[in-house]
Amino acid sequence: GAVVSQHPSRVICKSGTSVKIECRSLDFQATTMFWYRQFPKQSLMLMATSNEGSKATYEQGVEKDKFLINHASLTLSTLTVTSAHPEDSSFYICSARSGGEVFIQYFGAGTRLSVL
Amino acid sequence: AQTVTQSQPEMSVQEAETVTLSCTYDTSENNYYLFWYKQPPSRQMILVIRQEAYKQQNATENRFSVNFQKAAKSFSLKISDSQLGDTAMYFCAFMKHVGGSEKLVFGKGTKLTVNP
């Protein structure tokens, strides 16, 4: 299957700082990427849908000014957690849809964010 | 809104035996897609199997097969000849495709342990 790379895998930051997470599709072009958040021992919750060249679509309850998403190319989407606070500590996972396999999302390995 | 229910928080099976994971969903849609994803301890989400709702034939991928009962809105996963590497969280997911939206809705997951 298609490969999605997510970086970094782990980040620890101080409260009030901003953190950027990258999601790259390595062997395919992804016009659409998705960002999820997973709390411990819980399921994945979609935060936003990222479309190349346009603004991201955020799910209800997700602060777009807090979680900035940029999808500047067909292989890269970034999620920036601005002014991070301890409650933002979580596991963030991205996925990308391969144009050749409709409706299948391939996932990155996730980023564990710890805000001190 | 669509919901996905996995009623078994945890299950265990002996190596080489067969295990079935349950999943039910609620939707008023007629055309949709169902997926089983595996999340091993590495946290990497891996697609196990998918089913298109318009197809009556149950999907099969090697040792993995599904029992799709559309009328009952049931989508169980059968793992045959269980292997130690099958130990993971298994998430059932629902997707509809309407107007370009491809939102995946996940169940809460079933933690499967394969015992030697």
Side-chain angles (χ1 to χ4, degrees):
Chain A
V3 179
V4 175
S5 173
Q6 189 171 338
H7 179 80
S9 58
R10 177 78 191 266
V11 59
I12 301 171
C13 69
K14 292 182 178 180
S15 185
T17 61
S18 295
V19 175
K20 179 184 285 188
I21 303 170
E22 292 187 348
C23 181
R24 293 180 185 272
S25 56
L26 296 187
D27 51 0
F28 66 99
Q29 293 184 330
T31 55
T32 305
M33 291 184 173
F34 306 85
W35 288 95
Y36 296 85
R37 184 171 181 176
Q38 186 178 28
F39 289 102
K41 297 185 179 181
Q42 293 193 27
S43 188
L44 282 74
M45 298 297 294
L46 179 66
M47 298 174 65
T49 301
S50 169
N51 296 295
E52 186 268 336
S54 64
K55 292 183 178 180
T57 303
Y58 290 81
E59 294 299 303
Q60 190 173 8
V62 178
E63 300 175 59
K64 61 181 180 181
D65 294 331
K66 173 77 170 178
F67 299 100
L68 299 179
I69 292 172
N70 183 277
H71 194 160
S73 77
L74 286 172
T75 60
L76 174 65
S77 176
T78 60
L79 168 68
T80 300
V81 183
T82 63
S83 187
H85 288 94
E87 57 266 28
D88 298 325
S89 298
S90 190
F91 193 69
Y92 294 88
I93 308 176
C94 72
S95 71
R97 178 171 75 76
S98 168
E101 295 175 285
V102 183
F103 311 130
I104 292 180
Q105 293 183 24
Y106 294 97
F107 285 79
T111 297
R112 178 170 299 285
L113 171 63
S114 299
V115 185
L116 304 178
Chain B
Q2 285 74 28
T3 58
V4 177
T5 301
Q6 293 179 249
S7 59
Q8 306 150 314
E10 293 190 37
M11 291 193 73
S12 62
V13 64
Q14 291 299 121
E15 194 175 8
E17 293 187 347
T18 296
V19 64
T20 298
L21 308 183
S22 301
C23 173
T24 58
Y25 57 94
D26 185 26
T27 183
S28 58
E29 301 292 328
N30 190 47
N31 294 318
Y32 49 87
Y33 302 81
L34 296 163
F35 304 83
W36 278 98
Y37 278 91
K38 166 185 177 181
Q39 188 179 40
S42 67
R43 306 295 294 273
Q44 173 83 57
M45 294 285 284
I46 301 167
L47 177 65
V48 175
I49 200 165
R50 70 167 175 167
Q51 174 83 43
E52 292 89 343
Y54 63 85
K55 291 186 177 180
Q56 292 186 340
Q57 186 172 7
N58 290 323
T60 299
E61 287 287 341
N62 300 314
R63 298 183 295 108
F64 300 89
S65 62
V66 298
N67 183 3
F68 174 47
Q69 301 290 328
K70 190 173 183 179
K73 296 179 182 176
S74 172
F75 183 61
S76 61
L77 174 69
K78 185 171 80 171
I79 305 175
S80 304
D81 186 24
S82 297
Q83 300 176 359
L84 296 178
D86 295 333
T87 293
M89 283 290 292
Y90 285 82
F91 292 97
C92 178
F94 170 101
M95 178 197 287
K96 69 174 184 179
H97 185 242
V98 177
S101 172
E102 299 174 23
K103 179 178 176 179
L104 268 176
V105 177
F106 287 89
K108 292 185 180 295
T110 295
K111 182 179 180 182
L112 175 67
T113 302
V114 180
N115 299 308

